[in-house]
Amino acid sequence: MMKIRIEITLCLVLFLVLAPFCICSGERLLVGMTLVRNATAHGAVCLDGSLPAYHLHRGFGAGSNNWILQFEGGGWCNDISSCLERAKTRRGSTRYMSKLEVFSGILSNNASLNPDFYNWNRVKLRYCDGASFSGDSKFDNGTSLLYFRGQRIWEAIIHDLLPKGLSRARKALLSGCSAGGLATFLHCDNFTKMLPSNASVKCLSDAGFFLDERDISLNYSMRSFYHDLVALQGIEQNLNPNCTRSISNPKLCFFPQYALNYISTPYFILNSAYDVFQFHHSLVPPSADLHGHWNRCKLDPAACSAYQISVLQACARFEA
């Protein structure tokens, strides 16, 4: 382990009395967790009933009134069994989460590595609801209890940040990766409405554009998965009403390709043409390849046959 220098120790002593806090560890920026203390009163809790949380590192100088919020990713749970298991992990409870998070990439405070946002207020929203911050229901059979309160968690965190300066934001970017990227599609316009009318607001999804397309067995595997998720967690009521009123199957508005048509806030989409998750779970899920014909291709693209490459390229062209 890296030796702790005297100045790092002093930094730790100074900031342990504050929340949120930061620790300067070599080139890494570790930011302390902030629990939303009044969230329980609003029913805004994680799967297991624990308090929701975020990490905030303050901006400075020219960026002191600018904000970037990043949704944490981490998949979903679409049935009681998987959600009960998830509730026992950091994906369903803040009790199991690391209390310090490394702020890197778009959240870094290093001007050379992150020249556009290094001095902005940077926030990481912790993910503990299993539905991209969008559900609002509860499961209670007398033995097991699960809270599906992602929508309330989103609102509770925003209302906790508004008096901390978010209400005075001049520029703001709502971002997220994977399941967090999908959350940006669901909350982009709502985020804009919560900020000053003269604020410049944009949204960014990184690897969150999940497709509603047939898999290699011609079934809609992801559609089936998301339908169960939307039904279980009471998500449909929180989907964009302009979208749900416009298509025959309102649950499809959970998919970015449908939701995007009804988002008015400027939007940036970053997605790999050969996204591994979509390859393994949307295009070739295990249920569509029972005999494992795609196993070698999944492990090593160089081992894909000419036919398999053509299928992948067709999917990539759709994403593009």
Side-chain angles (χ1 to χ4, degrees):
M1 293 179 60
M2 183 182 298
K3 291 184 178 179
I4 306 299
R5 297 186 177 88
I6 294 176
E7 62 270 23
I8 296 175
T9 305
L10 290 174
C11 179
L12 175 60
V13 171
L14 287 171
F15 283 104
L16 277 177
V17 297
L18 302 176
F21 56 89
C22 71
I23 298 176
C24 317
S25 178
E27 294 184 356
R28 297 196 308 165
L29 173 64
L30 299 175
V31 181
M33 174 185 284
T34 297
L35 293 171
V36 184
R37 296 292 178 183
N38 65 343
T40 305
H42 304 285
V45 292
C46 300
L47 286 172
D48 70 333
S50 58
L51 291 172
Y54 61 87
H55 301 253
L56 165 65
H57 191 248
R58 290 287 188 177
F60 58 92
S64 58
N65 287 321
N66 299 334
W67 290 74
I68 177 169
L69 277 64
Q70 184 179 69
F71 286 115
E72 183 177 30
W76 310 270
C77 62
N78 71 333
D79 57 38
I80 296 301
S81 176
S82 62
C83 288
L84 284 172
E85 287 302 311
R86 189 181 180 98
K88 302 172 187 175
T89 73
R90 66 185 180 91
R91 296 301 186 194
S93 172
T94 50
R95 294 186 179 100
Y96 304 108
M97 290 181 181
S98 59
K99 302 306 183 281
L100 293 172
E101 276 293 292
V102 176
F103 270 31
S104 59
I106 202 171
L107 297 180
S108 171
N109 65 337
N110 187 319
S112 62
L113 298 176
N114 187 27
D116 295 310
F117 306 108
Y118 74 97
N119 62 351
W120 287 32
N121 297 283
R122 285 154 287 115
V123 185
K124 181 173 184 177
L125 286 68
R126 300 308 298 269
Y127 184 33
C128 65
D129 66 282
S132 292
F133 296 83
S134 63
D136 194 0
S137 65
K138 183 173 74 171
F139 171 79
D140 185 358
N141 65 358
T143 303
S144 300
L145 178 61
L146 288 168
Y147 296 93
F148 303 126
R149 299 288 174 76
Q151 178 70 28
R152 299 192 195 192
I153 289 173
W154 155 248
E155 294 171 357
I157 291 177
I158 291 298
H159 284 110
D160 203 59
L161 290 171
L162 286 171
K164 295 182 178 180
L166 183 61
S167 64
R168 301 185 299 276
R170 294 178 57 190
K171 296 179 181 179
L173 177 67
L174 183 65
S175 67
C177 181
S178 190
L182 192 152
T184 65
F185 289 97
L186 303 176
H187 296 298
C188 184
D189 279 348
N190 176 251
F191 180 58
T192 299
K193 292 175 182 177
M194 292 181 175
L195 301 184
S197 58
N198 62 345
S200 174
V201 185
K202 295 177 175 61
C203 298
L204 165 67
S205 171
D206 181 357
F209 197 85
F210 297 97
L211 298 172
D212 176 38
E213 289 298 313
R214 295 182 188 272
D215 60 34
I216 58 169
S217 65
L218 302 182
N219 292 315
Y220 285 99
S221 297
M222 284 304 294
R223 178 184 294 189
S224 177
F225 182 92
Y226 279 162
H227 274 206
D228 291 344
L229 174 63
V230 171
L232 175 69
Q233 297 221 24
I235 294 171
E236 186 174 330
Q237 62 187 315
N238 296 319
L239 298 176
N240 188 315
N242 294 323
C243 180
T244 57
R245 286 194 298 262
S246 301
I247 61 178
S248 59
N249 185 351
K251 291 183 176 66
L252 290 178
C253 294
F254 191 75
F255 277 98
Q257 70 196 75
Y258 302 105
L260 184 61
N261 295 324
Y262 303 93
I263 296 175
S264 57
T265 304
Y267 213 105
F268 301 100
I269 299 173
L270 176 63
N271 238 71
S272 168
Y274 301 99
D275 184 272
V276 172
F277 180 90
Q278 305 219 46
F279 176 17
H280 291 190
H281 298 278
S282 300
L283 182 63
V284 192
S287 60
D289 185 32
L290 297 178
H291 299 291
H293 296 307
W294 283 75
N295 286 351
R296 290 184 62 210
C297 181
K298 283 183 174 182
L299 292 172
D300 179 12
C304 296
S305 67
Y307 166 73
Q308 290 170 331
I309 290 294
S310 69
V311 173
L312 284 172
Q313 289 180 336
C315 181
R317 284 194 293 272
F318 183 89
E319 287 198 73

